[in-house]
Amino acid sequence: MVMSLLKQSGRGKVGYVSLFMLVLFTFSNFALEIVDAQIHRIDSPDLYDTLSAEVLSPPFHYTSDRARSSSLGTAAISSVTEALSPILPCAGGVDLRREEHWDTSKGWFNTATSMVNQVRDAFGLEAMTMQPSSSYWSSMVPRGGAQSSSSGTKVHVAPPKRKPQTHVSTISAATPFVSIDTIAGMTLGDLTAAFQFAVESTRPGFNEKKFLDSVNARMRPIIMGLKNAASKSRGIDVEPALTVAPSSKYDVDYGNFDALQFCGAMRLFAEWRVVRQVPDGYKGFAVGMNLGQKDIVQNVAKIEKSVHDWIEYRRDLLTLQSQWDSADAMENTCPVDAKGGKDCTLRSPTLRQLLEHELDMDVHDKHPLPRLKDKTAAMGLLWVRRQLHYQTELFANILQVPTKFTTANTAVTAAYNAVYGKFHGWAVQKIFTYSFQAAPEVDVIYRYMNPHQLVVSEQKAGQKKALGSSNKFDDDNSSDDDSSSGEKGLNPFQKLGNHIVGAWENAFGDDTIDLSDDEADGAGLGGSDFEEYVTKEMTEDAHKHISLYLEVVQPVLGDLLGLFDEMNMDDPSKV
């Protein structure tokens, strides 16, 4: 149709073409106004899915005060009417029928473009361009990385659409990144080492070799498994978060932990509780513990997915601003590290950065805080934190039996009420009550928590000789004059160490234990004496491990509590 119009000659050609363009522009403008109204109603900045870096919204989505063109239709229709009169169709002092206003030297497409621009110019509109200028994105994104409308509303700009990098959820996968059999060999002290590594390994000056040398041999591949799982989850070109230890020199904010490594430690925590705190045969107790394990894994998955989205958002932002070729822009994009320098390396986020990102993007805008949306990092971390809080509170209470709590059951109930009492609905409370009632005695759990020490304690019990009630268990049956024991002149701690080493060698089929004459005769503990001795040994061992666990985990937990309190995200909703 345009071609046929262009084939006409003289003033009639321009007049007919101008009439056609005016009608076309009028209806196009009317359609755009309808679409624009719908977009502003259902796709306003407040409802924008800020966790997705794949969405490219049109420029008008981010400008609340753009000039409206609703008057164009009326003016255009008036001009058309005048043209049909026939009266000279002028607008803004421009005679649209005059051929000198059109560029007809470069073919029909450029002629049509020239006509459109003249019409837009006549009505006071900007000329049409075929593509955004090179400064388009730089004008859309100011130095801070977000645009502010004239009303003061903070608006976030989505970078150009691209195919996102595929991330693998290795930490929250159905199969844990370390085998269940390997986790079953862990002690509470080993689990504590995992938390310590997750928190400290991203701090400047951390000596990984020295740390691995300080843990036992069975824990080293587990630590490396945690590290590798976090690395695979964040991606090959993404570095761990750069954190710093709290000190008087630097003012460190709450939540300054690498999010993925913390999730890795929590995954080990979830699996370890099931395999090392649920003895065989206690099916009722296993129900509650398995629910706890599933709850942690599902919430870790929320955090891990949010980390992946954050990385891609950050990657796009760094790429976008690097295209400006502006050192000043990059300086304002790169965060300030704990020492006051700029770090422009693409890194996975800390827990604090995740929650701050959700606040900045108004992810939880449907309800005023502390109401949280479900599939978010904040909601995932909230319930992961509560699981860790409950177990830590339970351990702390157990150490205060019978001084503060008369029984272990009383200590467990107090821990539950302190952490979950006001957040669990009736149905969930009944499940936990059923689990408590089916739980084994704490002495039985102590025996199950450290299988390695259990072997040592049973070996030692088989070597002990029962004495009188005033000194029921003799910890040193050998005489100083008995050179066959090989312990003459050793202090009690050295003798105990020799017995433990000998017990391990005997358990694994190496050298036999060097027994004293009385022990060589097979005079060991039996019956109730044997059980009482093993229980005493395992209780002492459990308390040592619990104390170490509390020393490392309680500061981490306190930090997380402070983070949620600062950001007002401690959602009180019941489940």
Side-chain angles (χ1 to χ4, degrees):
M1 184 176 181
V2 175
M3 289 296 296
S4 64
L5 289 174
L6 290 176
K7 289 179 181 179
Q8 300 182 34
S9 63
R11 297 176 61 181
K13 176 183 69 174
V14 177
Y16 281 115
V17 171
S18 64
L19 175 61
F20 166 76
M21 295 306 300
L22 287 171
V23 174
L24 177 62
F25 195 82
T26 299
F27 283 100
S28 298
N29 179 75
F30 180 72
L32 286 173
E33 288 294 324
I34 295 177
V35 174
D36 178 65
Q38 293 298 318
I39 291 177
H40 277 269
R41 181 176 67 83
I42 65 175
D43 198 26
S44 66
D46 292 336
L47 299 178
Y48 177 57
D49 182 7
T50 54
L51 281 184
S52 175
E54 304 174 18
V55 180
L56 174 61
S57 295
F60 55 79
H61 176 82
Y62 301 102
T63 309
S64 61
D65 60 344
R66 70 181 188 91
R68 299 288 178 176
S69 56
S70 58
S71 62
L72 177 61
T74 304
I77 292 173
S78 176
S79 295
V80 173
T81 305
E82 290 177 1
L84 294 176
S85 294
I87 300 174
L88 187 66
C90 296
V94 179
D95 185 348
L96 298 179
R97 297 186 305 173
R98 295 178 66 86
E99 191 170 358
E100 63 261 29
H101 291 296
W102 317 121
D103 180 8
T104 59
S105 62
K106 297 181 181 179
W108 68 269
F109 185 80
N110 282 287
T111 301
T113 302
S114 175
M115 293 176 183
V116 173
N117 287 336
Q118 288 293 338
V119 172
R120 295 180 68 88
D121 182 69
F123 291 97
L125 302 175
E126 296 179 358
M128 181 182 69
T129 57
M130 301 311 298
Q131 61 183 3
S133 65
S134 60
S135 62
Y136 173 75
W137 281 106
S138 61
S139 65
M140 287 297 296
V141 186
R143 289 174 55 182
Q147 180 183 2
S148 297
S149 66
S150 60
S151 61
T153 303
K154 187 177 182 181
V155 183
H156 296 269
V157 179
K161 185 176 181 180
R162 65 167 183 80
K163 185 177 180 180
Q165 178 175 323
T166 301
H167 290 272
V168 181
S169 297
T170 56
I171 298 175
S172 57
T175 303
F177 54 86
V178 176
S179 70
I180 295 297
D181 289 341
T182 302
I183 295 175
M186 292 173 59
T187 66
L188 183 57
D190 296 336
L191 182 63
T192 303
F195 274 105
Q196 187 175 2
F197 179 84
V199 170
E200 297 180 1
S201 61
T202 54
R203 295 172 179 172
F206 177 79
N207 190 325
E208 182 176 297
K209 183 180 183 302
K210 183 178 179 180
F211 181 87
L212 292 176
D213 289 342
S214 69
V215 300
N216 57 61
R218 65 174 174 270
M219 194 58 197
R220 291 167 193 159
I222 298 175
I223 293 292
M224 296 310 298
L226 189 159
K227 177 183 177 181
N228 293 336
S231 177
K232 186 175 180 180
S233 181
R234 67 173 63 99
I236 57 175
D237 61 338
V238 185
E239 296 296 321
L242 188 61
T243 63
V244 65
S247 67
S248 57
K249 185 176 181 180
Y250 303 117
D251 183 16
V252 180
D253 295 320
Y254 293 123
N256 194 30
F257 312 133
D258 183 279
L260 288 177
Q261 293 199 164
F262 175 80
C263 287
M266 285 303 304
R267 181 62 189 269
L268 292 175
F269 171 86
E271 305 296 342
W272 180 86
R273 286 201 306 177
V274 174
V275 297
R276 286 271 64 96
Q277 290 199 298
V278 184
D280 296 336
Y282 292 88
K283 295 181 180 180
F285 182 57
V287 170
M289 297 299 286
N290 282 314
L291 285 176
Q293 183 267 349
K294 289 181 173 62
D295 180 68
I296 290 177
V297 174
Q298 290 172 357
N299 284 295
V300 163
K302 297 175 185 178
I303 302 173
E304 189 172 18
K305 175 60 169 60
S306 297
V307 168
H308 295 165
D309 290 340
W310 188 95
I311 290 173
E312 293 310 302
Y313 177 90
R314 181 69 180 163
R315 185 198 306 276
D316 283 340
L317 189 59
L318 290 174
T319 301
L320 178 64
Q321 295 196 347
S322 67
Q323 292 173 355
W324 297 352
D325 196 23
S326 169
D328 182 63
M330 291 301 294
E331 182 179 354
N332 284 276
T333 302
C334 300
V336 179
D337 60 27
K339 296 184 178 180
K342 293 290 184 177
D343 179 26
C344 296
T345 305
L346 180 58
R347 298 182 180 276
S348 59
T350 63
L351 294 174
R352 181 182 187 85
Q353 288 174 322
L354 275 184
L355 269 57
E356 284 181 334
H357 181 71
E358 292 185 350
L359 287 179
D360 291 342
M361 295 298 189
D362 296 325
V363 173
H364 308 283
D365 60 348
K366 286 189 175 181
H367 302 285
L369 291 174
R371 305 292 179 177
L372 305 177
K373 285 186 179 179
D374 180 36
K375 295 182 179 180
T376 61
M379 183 63 81
L381 184 58
L382 174 69
W383 286 101
V384 165
R385 188 209 77 195
R386 286 174 178 170
Q387 287 271 4
L388 185 64
H389 188 186
Y390 168 68
Q391 188 66 58
T392 304
E393 190 79 7
L394 187 154
F395 280 149
N397 290 354
I398 285 292
L399 293 184
Q400 301 181 71
V401 176
T403 56
K404 182 176 179 179
F405 302 98
T406 55
T407 64
N409 287 339
T410 305
V412 172
T413 303
Y416 175 82
N417 291 335
V419 178
Y420 288 124
K422 58 184 178 181
F423 302 124
H424 281 175
W426 179 85
V428 180
Q429 287 182 358
K430 291 300 179 182
I431 293 175
F432 270 80
T433 300
Y434 170 74
S435 181
F436 291 157
Q437 293 173 347
E441 294 294 330
V442 67
D443 295 343
V444 178
I445 297 178
Y446 284 163
R447 282 179 173 237
Y448 205 67
M449 283 174 58
N450 188 348
H452 314 290
Q453 182 60 36
L454 180 61
V455 173
V456 174
S457 296
E458 289 179 343
Q459 288 288 336
K460 289 174 63 179
Q463 301 165 12
K464 299 301 174 183
K465 182 177 181 180
L467 300 178
S469 58
S470 61
N471 187 19
K472 189 169 186 178
F473 303 123
D474 180 14
D475 288 332
D476 183 15
N477 290 328
S478 60
S479 169
D480 289 345
D481 296 332
D482 187 1
S483 59
S484 63
S485 65
E487 296 181 346
K488 185 174 182 179
L490 299 180
N491 62 46
F493 292 101
Q494 292 172 315
K495 294 177 182 179
L496 178 59
N498 285 346
H499 279 298
I500 293 176
V501 172
W504 272 106
E505 292 175 346
N506 185 61
F508 291 102
D510 295 327
D511 297 336
T512 59
I513 302 176
D514 185 14
L515 304 175
S516 65
D517 291 338
D518 290 336
E519 292 168 338
D521 292 336
L525 299 176
S528 61
D529 287 343
F530 180 92
E531 296 298 325
E532 186 176 349
Y533 178 84
V534 172
T535 298
K536 173 179 173 289
E537 288 281 305
M538 297 306 297
T539 299
E540 291 177 354
D541 177 76
H543 285 184
K544 291 177 182 178
H545 282 251
I546 291 174
S547 297
L548 178 61
Y549 168 89
L550 294 176
E551 182 179 345
V552 172
V553 176
Q554 278 185 332
V556 175
L557 182 60
D559 188 282
L560 295 178
L561 290 170
L563 177 65
F564 274 84
D565 182 66
E566 176 190 342
M567 298 192 177
N568 191 27
M569 285 184 163
D570 203 356
D571 193 331
S573 302
K574 287 190 175 183
V575 295

